[in-house]
Amino acid sequence: MSEETVPQQGGGEARPKGLLQQMEELMAALNADLSALDADLQAAGPHRSARPAVEERGVEPPEGAGVV
């Protein structure tokens, strides 16, 4: 199946979109969602990773955690 024959959902345009254009649109939407999530998290308070919070409470991670 070529890029030109990829089925289009929604049928908003007469000409089917190429795969590259679809991927660019999906990446733009994902970036917008991530930006909104980042703004929400920044508004919620200072950025802290989960790791220091666990170490501050004195909780040990499970054996093998983080081992690659």
Side-chain angles (χ1 to χ4, degrees):
M1 185 183 298
S2 73
E3 289 182 7
E4 304 306 320
T5 60
V6 173
Q8 180 180 353
Q9 294 181 0
E13 295 180 17
R15 191 174 135 223
K17 297 178 186 178
L19 184 58
L20 180 59
Q21 183 179 355
Q22 290 178 4
M23 291 301 296
E24 287 173 346
E25 291 173 2
L26 288 171
M27 289 300 296
L30 177 61
N31 283 333
D33 289 346
L34 289 174
S35 294
L37 176 61
D38 183 51
D40 290 345
L41 291 173
Q42 293 295 328
H47 176 71
R48 294 178 51 168
S49 70
R51 188 91 176 135
V54 168
E55 290 173 356
E56 287 173 9
R57 291 191 308 246
V59 177
E60 292 293 322
E63 257 186 68
V67 176
V68 178

